[in-house]
Each structure stands twice: as structure tokens, then as C-alpha cells.
Amino acid sequence: MIEFRDVAFWIEDHHILKGVSFTVPKGKTQVILGPSGSGKSTILRLLIGLWKPTSGSIRVDGEDITEISSERLREIRKRMGLVFQQGALFDSMTVGENIGYTMLEDKTDEDEIERKVRISLEQVGLDPDLIDRMPDELSGGMQRRVAIARALASRDPDILLYDEPTTGLDPQSAERITDLVMNLRDRTGKTSVMVTHDIADAFKVGDRITVLDQGIVVFEGTPVELAAAQSPFINEFLAPFRKAVARASRGIVGGSLSAGGSA
Amino acid sequence: MAVEALAAVGDRLRRLLETVQDVTLFCVQVVRSAFLPPYYKHEIVEQIHFALVGSLFIVMFSSLVAGQALAIQLARELARTGAKSELGHFMVISVVRALGPVLVGIVVASRMSAGVTAELGAMRSSDQIDALVAFGTDPMKRLVAPRMISLWIALPVLTVIGDALGVIGGGFIGVGYHVTLQSYYNGVAKYLTPSNLLVGMIKPVFFAVLITTVATWKGLTSAGGAKGVGVATTESVVISSVGILVTDFICTKMIFRILNW
């Protein structure tokens, strides 16, 4: 279980997060949703310990990671797999070395690493023969999938963190990534936190959704509760999504009428 | 308005002092990281190859040419005073104690600072450094320590090679000024003493710390995308090069005091 309790975070004069609190139950997928600059990615960086909150606490399975030694934090990080916004693949390493990075660090047998890397590539829908390619030889979508494979292969983590996994991808690739995240959610049952500004993805993937606006939590609940929420910010934020859903629904109904079917 | 100006100066001074503090603490971490396990042997070997083999030709060429230029100056003046047989003596003092280590240091600093800062800066801007940390790797151990160790090995070796070529180059110039090779050799052999060698060989140890600290600090703290990395790389080369000269001065003063010269 992950708990953020009254977390505040400043960078110089900028108040990025203002008293953020939410809980991610074990085995559930929490989506952090909000417009650009609302502090979403900051939450993931605080969770993995890249940054330390100015105040408040962050607990992972009851342990406050803001109060522990760097060695203990390193041990907790090993239980997390993070997919960075642009993938953050190590560009001097092959795809295989990227995915097998933590296994190489742990001095795992090379044949075993290759076996697990090939399985990881298949799990994310990529050809295992990509193992010797360099990251810059792959498309953006493929790089993102390699990043997911790397996070998964990383010491079989209990917690998966996704930082805007579909940002910057074409719609087809983005959909493949979203489907992959949903597939992993259903298949592995791991605790996951996904940061996104894509409302459709949030509704598809999330068991619970936290909406941020300028560093403040303005909503926390299920997708159904979010769809029914009626605050000014939520209405404005969801307006394009609600319009698109309404248009899609009218399109389906109108299409069946114009094709000669009876209403 | 005067108060505002004073406050701005005070603020800049505060930031400068904070930077000096941060860099000093970082320097301690850089040196410390080279002595503590784990050791990334593959990275160390790779960095030794980059620093030593990659710099070899340019060090050899620069040292030969610089040694010859120095010899022209010295030979002319010594010939006028009737002391041209002392050319070997003065070449050893000038090259082994001073010019050799500094020239090699600046050549390697320019090359290494640019490469290291650009590489680490690119890694920083693409989140690769954060990825290393997220996967449980200490960037100091994986990225910084191999570079520190490689320079501690490469710089003294390159300095010896550079010194040798500088002195040898001077000998060829001396022949043009009617300095016999025998008298040149005698002068070199007499003054190539352990203490002169020590003076020349201690400096690369400190130069290595300087170059590694500046280059990795600039790379790991760069911001602002490609432009920021470019600025950091330029600053890294300039600071390293000037730092070599300052460090040379400080080392020379300290060593002379210790040796009571």
C-alpha cells in the first residue's frame, strides 16, 4: 500500500505540491490526472525517492520513506519499476542490456538474463530479436514498450510506476501502450500508479483517480465518481472528454439509424 | 535603489558561496567514490581507453611541438651567453617540472571535460541519470568513479610520455644550434632527478581530481536541454583549463615549500 500524507514540495520559490494526500491500496491501479504543470510527475519522483518532500510523509507498506537511510531507500526502490516519460533508455546500451540492466547489476547468469529479456520483450509485444538493437534504432512506441519491459524485468517489482507513458506517441502507438498497461494490470495484479493528462486513459486504466490542479488534490475517487463529479474545475477539465464521449455516442446511434435500422 | 543593488550583490555572493560549498563537497565525494566498492570494471577499462589511448596522439604531438618551441627560445638565449651546453639542464627543469604536466593537463582537460560533460549532460536531460538512481545504481559509482580512476592512471602515464617527447624534441632543436647530443644528454641525465620527477608527477594527481570534479559536476547539474548542455560543456572546458593553471601554481608553491627550495 502507498500513502501520501499531507505532502508539500517546494523548488526554490515554486510551491509544486500543497498538502497532497491519497492512498493506493495494494494491487490497485491509481491514476494521477491533471493538466500540465499540476505536479503529477513530481508525485512519482517523490514516491521513488528521487526528491524529498518539503513536508509530509510518504509511506510504502507502512514504512515512511522520507525518514529512512539511503541504503534502505535503495532497497525499497528495488521493489519499484518506473517507466519514465520519454522512456529514459540508456542510449549506450542495447535493448537487451537495457531490459536486463538490473540483472546485470545483480550479476545474474548471462544465459538466464537473455532468457528473461526475450520473455520480457514478448510480454510487451515486441520481437525478441530486437535484443541487440540500439534504442535510437527503434520508434518512439517501441522505445516506450522497451521501457515498460525494463521496469517489469527489474527484480520483478511489486509496484509499477508510469510517468505519462503515452505522451508524445501517435494515437495507434498510444493505444497499444494503454492496452499493454491494462493487460499488465489484469494479469499481474501489481500495485500501480500512472500519471497522465489523458482523461480517456485515466478512465480505462484506473481503479481510482486522483485529480490535481496546481498542486492541490481536487478529487479522489473511482472513475464512476469522477464522471459524476460536478465542481467548476472538474466540469471544465472533463468538458472536452465529455463532449467527445457524447459525440461518439451520438455517432453510434445516428449511424445505426442512417443505415436503415429501426431506432 | 542602492539598497536593491546591495541586496542583488549580496544574493550573488550567497549563490557563489553555496556553489563553492556544493562543488567542494562534490569533490570529496568524487575522490571517495574511487576508493569504495562496488567497482564497475568494464566502465573503468572503457574510460582508461578513452582517456589514455584517445589522448595519446594529441599529447605526443603537442608535447613534441611545444618542447621544440621552448628549445628554440632557450637555445638562442643560452647561445648568446655561451651556455648552450646547459640546454639539456634547462629543458628538463622547464618541461619535466612545469610545461610538461601543464600542457598534458590542459590537452587532456579540454578533451575529457568536453566529452564527459556532454555525455553526462545528455544523460541528465533525457532522465537516464534518474533512471540509474531509480534502478538502485549510485551514479557516483557508475559514472564518476570510473572517470576518476581512469584519469589517475592516464594522466601520469601521458605526462611521462609528454615529458619524454618534449625533451627529445628539444634535443633535435639543440642540434640546429650546435648543441652536441652528448652535452644535451649529459644535462638531461644530471637534472632528471627523483625530486624533479616528483615535482612533475604530483601535479597530474591533482589535475585528475580537478578535471573529473569539474566535468562531472557540470554534466550532472546541467539543465535547459541541448542549449544548457552546450553551455555546460563550454564552461567545463574553460574552468578545467584555467583550473589546471591555478592548480599548477598552488602545487608548485606547496611542493617548493615542502622541499625547502
Side-chain angles (χ1 to χ4, degrees), chain A residues 45 48 50 74 77 80 82 84 88-93 101-102 105 150-151 154-155, chain B residues 15 39-40 43 119 122-123 126-138 142:
Chain A
R45 285 171 184 270
I48 201 145
L50 288 172
R74 213 170 284 144
R77 275 197 197 117
M80 301 187 197
L82 173 55
F84 284 82
L89 297 180
F90 303 127
D91 52 21
S92 60
M93 297 182 194
Y101 177 75
T102 51
E105 287 279 291
R150 183 176 66 176
S154 160
R155 302 176 178 116
Chain B
R15 283 175 196 264
Y39 297 106
Y40 288 87
E43 276 67 34
E119 183 180 353
M123 288 181 76
S126 60
D127 285 337
Q128 290 179 58
I129 308 287
D130 286 347
L132 283 174
V133 176
F135 289 122
T137 299
D138 182 353
R142 189 174 180 103

Side-chain angles (χ1 to χ4, degrees), chain A residues 65-222:
Chain A
I65 64 169
T66 62
E67 299 287 331
I68 56 179
S69 66
S70 50
E71 286 76 30
R72 179 64 190 141
L73 181 59
R74 213 170 284 144
E75 289 304 310
I76 292 179
R77 275 197 197 117
K78 289 179 182 178
R79 295 173 44 209
M80 301 187 197
L82 173 55
V83 180
F84 284 82
Q85 194 165 345
Q86 303 294 335
L89 297 180
F90 303 127
D91 52 21
S92 60
M93 297 182 194
T94 63
V95 164
E97 285 165 344
N98 264 280
I99 295 171
Y101 177 75
T102 51
M103 290 184 267
L104 286 164
E105 287 279 291
D106 295 342
K107 312 243 184 293
T108 305
D109 176 66
E110 277 182 22
D111 291 336
E112 179 64 10
I113 293 175
E114 186 172 338
R115 188 184 71 82
K116 286 188 173 173
V117 165
R118 287 181 177 275
I119 291 171
S120 295
L121 282 166
E122 284 174 346
Q123 278 182 325
V124 298
L126 289 173
D127 181 359
D129 288 338
L130 290 176
I131 197 169
D132 291 321
R133 300 275 282 275
M134 299 302 287
D136 61 2
E137 296 176 52
L138 308 180
S139 69
M142 291 166 85
Q143 286 184 21
R144 213 61 65 86
R145 280 192 273 169
V146 170
I148 293 174
R150 183 176 66 176
L152 277 176
S154 160
R155 302 176 178 116
D156 193 24
D158 303 325
I159 299 168
L160 288 173
L161 308 173
Y162 304 91
D163 189 357
E164 308 221 30
T166 59
T167 295
L169 297 179
D170 61 274
Q172 217 175 4
S173 300
E175 198 177 328
R176 277 202 211 110
I177 297 294
T178 306
D179 288 344
L180 176 59
V181 172
M182 284 166 59
N183 185 267
L184 288 170
R185 177 198 65 186
D186 297 336
R187 199 158 36 85
T188 65
K190 292 185 194 288
T191 308
S192 304
V193 180
M194 186 170 96
V195 158
T196 185
H197 61 259
D198 189 308
I199 301 166
D201 281 353
F203 276 92
K204 274 190 216 171
V205 171
D207 294 313
R208 296 185 67 80
I209 299 176
T210 300
V211 180
L212 280 187
D213 177 33
Q214 295 180 60
I216 298 172
V217 174
V218 296
F219 173 86
E220 221 250 303
T222 65

Side-chain angles (χ1 to χ4, degrees), chain B residues 232-247:
Chain B
T233 303
T234 306
E235 288 177 353
S236 175
V237 173
V238 170
I239 294 170
S240 296
S241 303
V242 173
I244 294 282
L245 298 174
V246 173
T247 308

Side-chain angles (χ1 to χ4, degrees), chain B residues 75-86:
Chain B
R76 190 174 180 278
E77 293 310 306
L78 288 170
R80 279 182 10 177
T81 57
K84 62 184 179 186
S85 60
E86 293 296 307

